[in-house]
Amino acid sequence: MTEPSLAPRHIAVVMDGNGRWASRRFLPRIAGHKQGVDVLRRFVKACAARGVAVLTVFAFSSENWQRPADEVSGLMDLLAIALSREVPQLKADGVALHFVGDRSRLSPKVAAGMARAEAETAGNTRLVLNVCFNYGGRWDIVQAAAKAAAKGLTMTEANLDAAMALAHVPHPDLIIRTGGEKRLSNFLLWQAAYAELYFSDKLWPEFDDAALDAAIEDYHSRERRFGKTSQQLEPTAAQRAAA
């Protein structure tokens, strides 16, 4: 298990592969999504145990409306069930829940459930869990620009960043995508500028604690320079002496 002091502050995950996991077992795709919720429940606990401060997951993209109607309906039902079942435990575990995305297309019942879940967990400080639902990175940039323009602000990086849907948390340090695909698929396009990307062939329902530790270990093998050179990152003689 990864030491808490070594964990990235913010991990984001594209939870890909639920449908394929179900299809390989001759199950309906919604069965894979149900399994994915079970894995997410364990994953939240694993991240909290490792000292991760923020976890952001891609649950439903703005492009997912194009999926078969029965799958979309099943996902909405699954969200409603999860809100009623999972929130009490998240509250007890110290998790603050945030739903990030465009709620205008959601039913009043689902939108109200989201708001209630956020209110009930607002005081928690152990882990921030951002669930991106009906979210897209391009939508996020557009809504941020519109918000800044409505306030009469100059279009600077700082002003746009402050208007982003995830402005309440730092940018992700590590973005994990499961399922073997190697792209962001319109996830956190603004916030991913300096994130380390990790791609796993495991389908999301197969992504366990060992897989999380492997991703974190890989993250620590990277040199995060943020535009600087390797030499600039080396401690000076005075810094080494002080250490």
Side-chain angles (χ1 to χ4, degrees):
M1 177 175 167
T2 303
E3 291 292 331
S5 60
L6 297 178
R9 180 171 54 169
H10 183 175
I11 293 178
V13 187
V14 180
M15 305 180 294
D16 196 16
N18 291 335
R20 280 174 286 161
W21 180 90
S23 297
R24 291 174 186 178
R25 289 158 177 78
F26 304 101
L27 298 170
R29 289 177 59 85
I30 196 62
H33 294 303
K34 290 178 180 177
Q35 183 68 19
V37 171
D38 292 340
V39 172
L40 177 57
R41 183 188 304 114
R42 296 194 295 270
F43 193 80
V44 170
K45 290 181 178 292
C47 285
R50 285 157 178 75
V52 175
V54 182
L55 173 62
T56 301
V57 297
F58 206 6
F60 189 87
S61 78
S62 50
E63 288 80 23
N64 285 157
W65 293 103
Q66 303 175 61
R67 292 190 174 187
D70 59 341
E71 183 175 350
V72 172
S73 176
L75 285 167
M76 295 299 163
D77 291 341
L78 188 59
L79 173 61
I81 293 171
L83 284 172
S84 62
R85 291 182 179 176
E86 304 296 333
V87 170
Q89 189 61 54
L90 290 172
K91 184 177 181 180
D93 290 341
V95 177
L97 186 59
H98 292 262
F99 287 94
V100 181
D102 182 5
R103 302 188 193 184
S104 64
R105 197 170 174 180
L106 305 180
S107 71
K109 178 181 178 181
V110 169
M114 287 179 168
R116 186 165 54 250
E118 290 175 329
E120 290 181 5
T121 61
N124 291 342
T125 58
R126 187 181 185 196
L127 174 74
V128 174
L129 173 60
N130 300 306
V131 178
C132 293
F133 201 91
N134 196 26
Y135 172 88
R138 291 177 176 176
W139 164 86
D140 198 1
I141 294 170
V142 169
Q143 70 82 30
K147 191 184 298 183
K151 294 179 179 179
L153 300 175
T154 305
M155 290 298 168
T156 64
E157 283 192 26
N159 287 338
L160 278 179
D161 194 54
M164 288 287 161
L166 279 147
H168 60 284
V169 294
H171 291 181
D173 303 294
L174 171 64
I175 297 179
I176 299 170
R177 178 166 186 157
T178 64
E181 304 290 356
K182 295 178 174 62
R183 57 178 177 268
L184 288 175
S185 294
N186 201 19
F187 182 51
L188 304 184
L189 298 183
W190 176 273
Q191 297 86 351
Y194 277 101
E196 299 297 328
L197 307 181
Y198 180 85
F199 301 102
S200 171
D201 289 331
K202 288 181 177 291
L203 304 178
W204 174 246
E206 302 166 343
F207 203 81
D208 55 14
D209 287 14
L212 171 61
D213 287 333
I216 294 175
E217 182 178 355
D218 184 84
Y219 166 81
H220 282 291
S221 72
R222 317 277 183 94
E223 184 178 64
R224 309 198 73 210
R225 296 191 297 274
F226 299 97
K228 296 180 180 180
T229 67
S230 298
Q231 289 73 24
Q232 286 177 295
L233 299 179
E234 294 178 358
T236 63
Q239 289 171 329
R240 288 194 295 269

